[in-house]
Amino acid sequence: MPTAVARPSGLVGVATAAVAIGVAQLAAVPFGAQADSRTAVGSAVIDLTPGPVKEWAIQLFGTADKLALSILVLGVIAVIAALTSTLETSRVPLGSIAIVLAGIAGSAAVLSRAGSAWYDVLPTLAGAVCGVATLRLLVSGRFTDASPAADPAADAPDRGRRLSLITLGFLAGGAVAGVAGAVWTRARTSVSGDRTAFQLPTPAVEAAPIPPGVQPKGVTLPPFVTPNADFYRIDTALSVPQLSRDAWRLRIHGMVDREVELDFAALDRFEVIEKVVTLTCVSNPVGGDLISNATWTGYRVRDLLAQAGVHADADMVMSTSIDGFTAGTPTEALTDDRDALLAVAMNGAPLPTEHGYPARLVVPGLYGYVSATKWVVDLELTRFDRAQAYWTRLGWSARGPIKTQSRIDVPRSGQDVRPGPVTFGGVAWAQNRGVRAVEVSIDDGEWIPAELGEQYSNETWRLWSYQWDARGEGPHEIRVRATDGDGVVQTADLADVVPDGATGWHTVAFAVT
Ligand SMILES: Nc1nc2c(c(=O)[nH]1)N[C@H]1C(S)=C(S)[C@@H](COP(=O)(O)O)O[C@H]1N2
Ligand SMILES: [Mo]
């Protein structure tokens, strides 16, 4: 008489998914990062997510947005796997069908990535096959039926426990294979050795030395130059592209007299320059920290473009990264005397991989989404009325000049301040126009000029401080506004980060106690 097999538990589905993903990850090792379907699915999710939802994720998770997405994707897979596996029966194998569909979706995601080939789907398909096999095995009743091999004295609860243990075994095996595969792929494709071996070119035009006066005294503010490890990071790359100097090529084409392709060695014939430039993200909310400042070393984009001969009516340069991200920059911003850079070094070190190794664009005065392409491999001369870049397609403005903004770093929101003299401070920026003045207002009082750190250049932020005699126990509020180099006062109008950057005065509530 056949044993009545109970419906499989959700745990069986989770174990099955773990095996499928684990096998896929491990099998992807010899193929390379582009065959990793877990990353491909995550990247596809990023690309298919509507602009406002992406924006919400950046606001909520900031630089941890990619970790949050990875956890979300694995969580969703686990829930689907748990639900569908409980519906797996021998007549209607819903769980198996779900795995096959997931395998097809994973393969499609792999094929949609820049630089993948048809055979890169093989690890994903192998994972799906192993997943189906695992599910069929776990629901076959082999571990719950009383068999001659099993202890005839064993009762049903014992057999149930045996199935749970075996299921947990598959779950653990899948997890170990998955982590091993991911770590191994990373080690195999890593360019960290290539990066440390890079002998930086010596600048022919050095950046002006940074005077100590840029940093206000008596208050702990962010350092004028942001250390590489603390530099904000925003991009759509779920796994950081690993592009060696040897593999790197920069193609310049489109509306040009002659197409040019540069390899890394070809950069040697261009003059090396060094500049201090503050990068800012359009997604930075009022008071936010998606802004940092670094010394960049590299080559003038103008010199590179001159090799190709830019047509007069090409008003946009569409730059593309190795992973398919695009930015549309006014040609003028790349050819005028602001000296936009193809940067290869950041604060005296090769670009960190997360910041674009081996080469990226740095354009003073423009938000990153329209200018700062990391891992850049392609510059196409085109026109704003013909082409749209990544974020513009999602509803952001085609052009992204940086707006005048200021931020209070001290006091922090909710901070307690003792009565008596105290120094507050923060940063202000209006790249390309410079910051002429910063004013603060306490408890809606009159605007009082803050002390300014020395101005380094129009292309960098400016630090400020303000000495206050704290008195009046209880809650207080401080507000800040900047005036740019043209004499224009930062607007009080509140604007959202979409479509072209937030505005409004940063206000911080604190208390004197
Ligand atoms: N390849 C690539 N480059 C990119 C992006 C991206 O998603 N992919 N994001 C841009 C955005 S929106 C910003 S604000 C800057 C951030 O540069 P950082 O991460 O070095 O601070 O990079 C720009 N360059
Ligand atoms: Mo950005």
Side-chain angles (χ1 to χ4, degrees), residues 124-186:
T124 306
L125 297 179
V129 168
C130 292
V132 171
T134 305
L135 183 60
R136 300 309 299 168
L137 184 68
L138 290 176
V139 302
S140 65
R142 185 168 308 181
F143 304 116
T144 43
D145 286 348
S147 66
D151 180 355
D155 55 8
D158 267 352
R159 282 184 248 123
R161 200 172 309 127
R162 184 147 47 99
L163 176 63
S164 296
L165 281 176
I166 288 168
T167 305
L168 282 176
F170 275 106
L171 178 57
V176 168
V179 172
V183 171
W184 196 354
T185 297
R186 214 172 153 142

Side-chain angles (χ1 to χ4, degrees), residues 180-230:
V183 171
W184 196 354
T185 297
R186 214 172 153 142
R188 251 176 52 90
T189 55
S190 168
V191 293
S192 71
D194 188 58
R195 184 178 170 270
T196 27
F198 180 25
Q199 303 274 333
L200 295 185
T202 313
V205 181
E206 284 179 21
I210 293 164
V214 295
Q215 197 75 35
K217 296 216 157 47
V219 54
T220 307
L221 296 180
F224 177 74
V225 173
T226 315
N228 288 353
D230 299 340

